Amino acid sequence: MTAATTAHPLTSTMTTPLAGLARALVSAGHLSEAAAQEISHKASASKNSFVAQLVASGRLPAIDLAHCIAHIFSTPLLDLDAVDPARLPKDLLDTKLCATHKVLPLLKRGNRLVVATADPSDKDAAEKIKFTAQMGVDWVIVEHDKLLRLVESSTKSVTEALDTFNADSDFQFDDIKDIPENEEKDVGASEVEDAPVVKFLHKMLIDAFNMRASDLHFEPYEHTYRVRFRIDGELREIASPPIAIKEKLASRIKVISRLDISEKRVPQDGRMKLKVGADRVIDFRVSTLPTLFGEKIVIRILDPNSAKMGIDALGYEADEKKRLLDAIQRPYGMILVTGPTGSGKTVSLYSCLNLLNKPGVNISTAEDPSEINMPGVNQVNVNEKAGLTFATALKSFLRQDPDVIMVGEIRDLETADISIKAAQTGHLVLSTLHTNDAPTTLTRMRNMGIAPFNIASSVILITAQRLARRLCLQCKQPHEVPHETLLEAGYASDQLDGTWVPYKAVGCSACNNGYKGRVGIYQVMPISEAQQQIILRDGSALDIAAQAKLEGVKSLRESGLDKVKLGVTSLEEVLAVTNL
């Protein structure tokens, strides 16, 4: 009785019904049922996959197993030795999902994702891929051992890399190093000279630069920590380092940004530099913010070369470019650039300054902080704690015989008042405001308390702008859009003459979901005499917008629709970043 009782669980276990790939291999005659049962239980006991356990057992070589599976499931077979890991698509699947289920995305084809696997019967993996990528899955069978090596090498997360770093590592950055200005070692600095943290931060900064990210977000939560990059305007999760790293990482960033590492209760702003190659230095603007579970840190990448690309590279149409160039060549007056944070206002202003920056021109700027270093321009960082405000800086500028003044942002009546007086007394003043479009900028200034006659006599041009993602030249495709949809978007009937067709984002290994880079959408509005009359009689933004339209000024939506006609961006992108 006892023997029978003892044997019963074993007998029951050994006769567990086979499932998935094991059953398919037995049915096809490639494996005996007893062997399949034995391998299944060993895999279960060791928390391993059936394929991994089968290959490890030596009963069926990986290459023979791949051929068997491809035949059984009528699925294509691929030799991974023919695949260049460097050309595999990035960011299509979460690295944790790939590592857990031993899968590897190969390419995106329309709304289908081609994925390499050694076990196409893994329904859990298929469902998770469908949910994550929001695409259907097409399996390609590969050899398990080759897949394992490629998955480990190509999806090794930053978290794993961080865990494997140690203080004795001889890991070196040959031509890339952080070069803080006048960095001084203090008592707290020694606490953050932790090799894994230093290398992790370096890797994140270099990866962000190589991926053309505009900023990095280091975000602590109660039980997790994540790093996100903003690429072409979209935030993407890049890494999930251990939560224990948050304090050391924040301190390391503060040290090289010359911030107070002991102050964790209030926000701080700073900057640091990264040397890329022999003659290129990238600036980073750092902002810290105390949150419930630690300090969130955002690092914005400021490439000085972006201001030297010129007006043509920013995406201005011919008539918009002419209006802007005419305005900056005037001896005095105020030019305003408006738009939300991250819409490229600073690059637009510095592109204008680059054109004006000549030996015979005295240029001074007041910013909070200065984002792009430009030789030949006198740049001042606002420091409100020390009493150096925008207004204070402007007053000092006017005592130093400037020709051109740039104010980072008009935030209050005092700054606005001094800027307008400077524009009225023989100086060209450039600045920014946060408004939705060009006409509302004038009413915003009125609401700040500026008299209508001061606005009318000083402002000569307003540019409103947005950034839209640029379609990838390699994979964009024509896209038939219903006539009614185009009319609703803002096209006039005579524009829909059949001579053009919108393009849509597709996605390939060279881009990010069908987009690569961004392009500016602009509303460039010179202030005419008719508009000055509307301002003087305290007209509304609607009155100004109506007059601007009569004068041929396009709205942001109309400017964006023009870029859709040219195939520069997609209709969906323009609708997302502009209002009617």
Side-chain angles (χ1 to χ4, degrees), residues 72-109:
I72 293 170
F73 289 90
S74 299
T75 308
L77 180 67
L78 174 68
D79 183 2
L80 283 178
D81 286 340
V83 175
D84 181 3
R87 298 182 66 86
L88 288 172
K90 304 292 190 295
D91 302 327
L92 288 179
L93 286 181
D94 180 62
T95 54
K96 290 183 180 178
L97 190 154
C98 293
T100 301
H101 293 279
K102 301 300 182 288
V103 295
L104 195 65
L106 298 176
L107 61 95
K108 179 183 174 185
R109 188 166 52 197

Coordinates of all heavy atoms in Angstrom, one line a residue, residues 72-109:
I72 N 7.1 21.2 -39.3 CA 5.9 20.9 -38.6 C 4.9 22.1 -38.7 O 3.7 21.9 -38.9 CB 6.2 20.6 -37.1 CG1 6.9 19.2 -37.1 CG2 4.9 20.5 -36.3 CD1 7.5 18.9 -35.7
F73 N 5.4 23.3 -38.5 CA 4.6 24.5 -38.4 C 4.5 25.3 -39.7 O 3.9 26.3 -39.8 CB 5.1 25.5 -37.3 CG 4.9 25.0 -35.9 CD1 5.8 24.2 -35.3 CD2 3.7 25.2 -35.2 CE1 5.6 23.7 -34.0 CE2 3.5 24.8 -33.9 CZ 4.5 24.0 -33.3
S74 N 5.1 24.7 -40.8 CA 5.1 25.3 -42.1 C 5.5 26.8 -42.0 O 4.8 27.7 -42.5 CB 3.7 25.2 -42.7 OG 3.4 23.9 -42.9
T75 N 6.7 27.0 -41.3 CA 7.1 28.4 -41.1 C 8.5 28.6 -41.7 O 9.3 27.6 -41.7 CB 7.2 28.6 -39.5 OG1 6.0 28.2 -38.9 CG2 7.5 30.0 -39.2
P76 N 8.9 29.8 -42.2 CA 10.2 30.0 -42.8 C 11.3 29.7 -41.8 O 11.2 29.9 -40.6 CB 10.1 31.5 -43.2 CG 8.7 31.8 -43.3 CD 8.0 30.9 -42.3
L77 N 12.4 29.3 -42.3 CA 13.6 29.0 -41.5 C 14.7 30.0 -41.9 O 14.9 30.3 -43.1 CB 14.1 27.5 -41.8 CG 15.3 27.1 -41.0 CD1 15.1 27.0 -39.6 CD2 15.8 25.7 -41.6
L78 N 15.4 30.5 -40.9 CA 16.4 31.5 -41.2 C 17.7 31.1 -40.4 O 17.7 30.7 -39.2 CB 16.0 32.9 -40.7 CG 17.0 34.0 -40.7 CD1 17.3 34.4 -42.2 CD2 16.4 35.3 -40.0
D79 N 18.9 31.3 -41.1 CA 20.2 31.1 -40.4 C 20.6 32.5 -39.9 O 20.9 33.4 -40.6 CB 21.2 30.6 -41.5 CG 22.5 30.3 -40.8 OD1 22.6 30.5 -39.6 OD2 23.5 29.9 -41.5
L80 N 20.7 32.6 -38.6 CA 21.0 33.9 -37.9 C 22.5 34.3 -38.2 O 22.8 35.4 -38.0 CB 20.8 33.8 -36.4 CG 19.3 33.9 -36.0 CD1 19.2 33.8 -34.5 CD2 18.7 35.2 -36.4
D81 N 23.3 33.4 -38.7 CA 24.7 33.8 -39.1 C 24.7 34.8 -40.2 O 25.7 35.5 -40.4 CB 25.5 32.5 -39.4 CG 25.9 31.7 -38.2 OD1 25.8 32.3 -37.1 OD2 26.2 30.5 -38.4
A82 N 23.6 34.8 -41.0 CA 23.5 35.7 -42.1 C 22.9 37.1 -41.7 O 22.8 37.9 -42.6 CB 22.6 35.1 -43.2
V83 N 22.6 37.2 -40.5 CA 22.0 38.5 -40.0 C 23.1 39.4 -39.3 O 23.9 38.9 -38.5 CB 20.9 38.2 -39.0 CG1 20.3 39.5 -38.4 CG2 19.8 37.4 -39.6
D84 N 23.1 40.6 -39.7 CA 24.0 41.6 -39.1 C 23.4 42.2 -37.9 O 22.4 43.0 -38.1 CB 24.4 42.7 -40.1 CG 25.4 43.7 -39.6 OD1 25.8 43.5 -38.4 OD2 25.7 44.7 -40.3
P85 N 23.8 41.9 -36.7 CA 23.2 42.5 -35.5 C 23.1 44.0 -35.5 O 22.1 44.5 -34.9 CB 24.1 42.0 -34.4 CG 24.8 40.8 -34.9 CD 25.0 41.1 -36.4
A86 N 24.0 44.7 -36.1 CA 24.0 46.1 -36.1 C 22.8 46.7 -36.9 O 22.4 47.8 -36.7 CB 25.3 46.7 -36.6
R87 N 22.3 45.9 -37.8 CA 21.2 46.4 -38.7 C 19.8 45.9 -38.2 O 18.8 46.2 -38.8 CB 21.4 45.9 -40.1 CG 22.7 46.4 -40.8 CD 22.8 45.9 -42.2 NE 21.8 46.5 -43.0 CZ 21.9 47.7 -43.6 NH1 23.0 48.4 -43.4 NH2 20.9 48.1 -44.4
L88 N 19.8 45.3 -37.1 CA 18.5 44.9 -36.5 C 17.7 46.1 -36.0 O 18.3 47.0 -35.5 CB 18.7 43.9 -35.4 CG 19.1 42.5 -35.7 CD1 19.4 41.7 -34.5 CD2 18.1 41.8 -36.6
P89 N 16.4 46.1 -36.2 CA 15.6 47.3 -35.8 C 15.7 47.5 -34.2 O 15.7 46.5 -33.5 CB 14.2 47.0 -36.2 CG 14.2 45.5 -36.4 CD 15.5 45.1 -36.8
K90 N 15.7 48.7 -33.8 CA 15.7 49.1 -32.4 C 14.4 49.5 -31.9 O 13.6 50.1 -32.7 CB 16.8 50.1 -32.1 CG 18.2 49.8 -32.6 CD 18.8 48.7 -31.8 CE 20.3 48.5 -32.1 NZ 20.5 48.1 -33.5
D91 N 14.1 49.3 -30.6 CA 12.9 49.9 -30.0 C 11.5 49.3 -30.5 O 10.5 49.9 -30.2 CB 12.8 51.4 -30.1 CG 14.1 52.0 -29.5 OD1 14.6 51.5 -28.5 OD2 14.5 53.1 -30.0
L92 N 11.6 48.2 -31.3 CA 10.3 47.7 -31.7 C 9.7 46.8 -30.6 O 8.4 46.7 -30.5 CB 10.5 46.8 -32.9 CG 10.8 47.6 -34.3 CD1 10.9 46.6 -35.4 CD2 9.6 48.5 -34.6
L93 N 10.5 46.2 -29.8 CA 10.0 45.4 -28.7 C 10.8 45.7 -27.4 O 12.0 46.1 -27.5 CB 10.1 43.9 -29.0 CG 9.2 43.3 -30.0 CD1 9.4 41.8 -30.1 CD2 7.7 43.5 -29.5
D94 N 10.2 45.5 -26.3 CA 10.8 45.8 -25.0 C 11.9 44.7 -24.8 O 11.7 43.5 -25.1 CB 9.8 45.7 -23.9 CG 10.4 45.9 -22.5 OD1 11.0 47.0 -22.3 OD2 10.4 44.9 -21.7
T95 N 13.1 45.1 -24.3 CA 14.2 44.2 -24.2 C 13.9 43.1 -23.2 O 14.4 42.0 -23.3 CB 15.5 45.0 -23.7 OG1 15.2 45.7 -22.6 CG2 15.9 45.9 -24.8
K96 N 13.1 43.4 -22.1 CA 12.8 42.4 -21.1 C 11.9 41.3 -21.8 O 12.1 40.1 -21.5 CB 12.0 43.1 -20.0 CG 12.9 44.0 -19.1 CD 12.1 44.5 -17.9 CE 13.0 45.4 -17.1 NZ 12.2 46.0 -15.9
L97 N 11.0 41.7 -22.6 CA 10.1 40.7 -23.3 C 11.0 39.8 -24.2 O 10.8 38.6 -24.2 CB 9.1 41.4 -24.1 CG 7.9 40.6 -24.7 CD1 6.7 41.5 -24.9 CD2 8.3 40.0 -26.0
C98 N 11.9 40.4 -24.9 CA 12.8 39.6 -25.8 C 13.6 38.6 -25.0 O 13.8 37.5 -25.3 CB 13.7 40.5 -26.6 SG 12.9 41.5 -27.8
A99 N 14.2 39.1 -23.8 CA 15.0 38.3 -23.0 C 14.2 37.1 -22.3 O 14.7 36.0 -22.2 CB 15.8 39.1 -22.0
T100 N 13.0 37.5 -21.9 CA 12.2 36.5 -21.2 C 11.7 35.4 -22.1 O 11.8 34.2 -21.8 CB 11.0 37.2 -20.6 OG1 11.4 38.2 -19.7 CG2 10.1 36.2 -19.8
H101 N 11.2 35.7 -23.3 CA 10.7 34.7 -24.2 C 11.6 34.3 -25.3 O 11.2 33.5 -26.2 CB 9.4 35.3 -24.8 CG 8.3 35.5 -23.9 ND1 7.4 34.4 -23.4 CD2 7.8 36.6 -23.2 CE1 6.6 34.9 -22.6 NE2 6.8 36.2 -22.4
K102 N 12.8 34.8 -25.3 CA 13.9 34.4 -26.3 C 13.3 34.6 -27.7 O 13.2 33.7 -28.5 CB 14.3 33.0 -26.1 CG 14.9 32.7 -24.7 CD 16.1 33.5 -24.4 CE 16.7 33.2 -23.1 NZ 15.9 33.7 -21.9
V103 N 13.0 35.9 -28.0 CA 12.5 36.3 -29.3 C 13.3 37.5 -29.8 O 13.9 38.2 -28.9 CB 11.0 36.6 -29.3 CG1 10.2 35.3 -29.0 CG2 10.7 37.7 -28.4
L104 N 13.3 37.7 -31.1 CA 14.1 38.8 -31.6 C 13.4 39.4 -32.8 O 13.2 38.7 -33.8 CB 15.5 38.3 -32.0 CG 16.6 39.4 -32.3 CD1 16.9 40.1 -31.0 CD2 17.8 38.7 -32.8
P105 N 13.0 40.7 -32.7 CA 12.4 41.3 -33.9 C 13.4 41.5 -35.0 O 14.5 42.0 -34.8 CB 11.9 42.7 -33.4 CG 12.8 43.0 -32.2 CD 13.2 41.7 -31.6
L106 N 12.9 41.1 -36.2 CA 13.8 41.2 -37.4 C 13.5 42.3 -38.3 O 14.4 43.0 -38.8 CB 13.7 39.9 -38.2 CG 14.2 38.6 -37.5 CD1 14.0 37.4 -38.4 CD2 15.7 38.7 -37.1
L107 N 12.2 42.6 -38.6 CA 11.8 43.7 -39.4 C 10.3 44.0 -39.2 O 9.6 43.1 -38.8 CB 12.2 43.5 -40.9 CG 11.6 42.3 -41.6 CD1 10.3 42.7 -42.3 CD2 12.5 41.7 -42.6
K108 N 10.0 45.2 -39.6 CA 8.6 45.6 -39.6 C 8.1 45.7 -41.0 O 8.7 46.3 -41.9 CB 8.4 47.0 -38.9 CG 7.0 47.5 -38.8 CD 7.0 48.9 -38.2 CE 5.6 49.5 -38.2 NZ 5.7 50.9 -37.7
R109 N 7.0 45.0 -41.3 CA 6.4 45.0 -42.7 C 5.0 45.4 -42.6 O 4.1 44.6 -42.3 CB 6.6 43.6 -43.3 CG 6.3 43.5 -44.7 CD 6.8 42.2 -45.3 NE 6.4 41.1 -44.5 CZ 7.0 39.8 -44.5 NH1 8.0 39.6 -45.3 NH2 6.5 38.9 -43.8

